Amino acid sequence: QVQLVESGGGLVQAGGSLRLSCAASGSDVSINAMAWYRLGPDKRREPVAGFTIGGTPDYADSVKGRFTISRDNARNTVYLQMNSLKPEDTALYYCNHCDLRVRAGRNLDFQCGYWGQGTQVTVSS
């Protein structure tokens, strides 16, 4: 079991920044198994950022160069620093934990595991 708690969402103007946090707890936490997804107006949940099997950050093309995922191993916490925000980044952002053995090397399009409750990010134009 893994529990995920997100924080840090809010309303920001285009060009602004926000930092999301996701704290994980439970007996099966692996910080490299954590990732961020978002649910936009089209109601499709899409990957935003996570880690490869080797622990290297991995990003959706739409956020590369603007978003940075990082981790604090001691706190079992993953962060998403979002800069140069655009109105199209408006979404409900979810933290995810998918066991690396379940993911088995597949990319973040493969969705599995545990989800947080979500935190809303709204970017005004």
Side-chain angles (χ1 to χ4, degrees):
Q1 285 281 349
V2 175
Q3 294 79 43
L4 303 168
V5 178
E6 303 108 331
S7 60
L11 173 65
V12 65
Q13 287 189 328
S17 298
L18 283 173
R19 189 175 83 151
L20 306 183
S21 301
C22 176
S25 60
S27 58
D28 299 322
V29 173
S30 170
I31 202 160
N32 280 353
M34 295 174 69
W36 289 97
Y37 289 77
R38 65 188 182 187
L39 185 69
D42 60 1
K43 302 305 181 188
R44 288 191 309 115
R45 188 168 58 193
E46 61 180 9
V48 175
F51 300 100
T52 68
I53 194 168
T56 303
D58 189 27
Y59 300 97
D61 288 342
S62 59
V63 307
K64 281 180 181 176
R66 301 188 297 121
F67 291 12
T68 302
I69 189 170
S70 61
R71 58 196 169 213
D72 183 334
N73 291 347
R75 298 174 187 263
N76 275 347
T77 298
V78 170
Y79 304 95
L80 186 67
Q81 177 67 42
M82 305 184 294
N83 298 329
S84 303
L85 282 161
K86 304 176 182 179
E88 51 264 43
D89 294 318
T90 295
L92 188 59
Y93 282 72
Y94 290 94
C95 183
N96 167 262
H97 184 286
C98 175
D99 189 291
L100 293 176
R101 294 164 295 182
V102 174
R103 182 171 295 286
R106 286 170 283 200
N107 66 23
L108 294 176
D109 288 328
F110 177 77
Q111 301 185 21
C112 66
Y114 300 94
W115 299 89
Q117 81 283 359
T119 185
Q120 179 67 37
V121 171
T122 302
V123 184
S124 63
S125 58

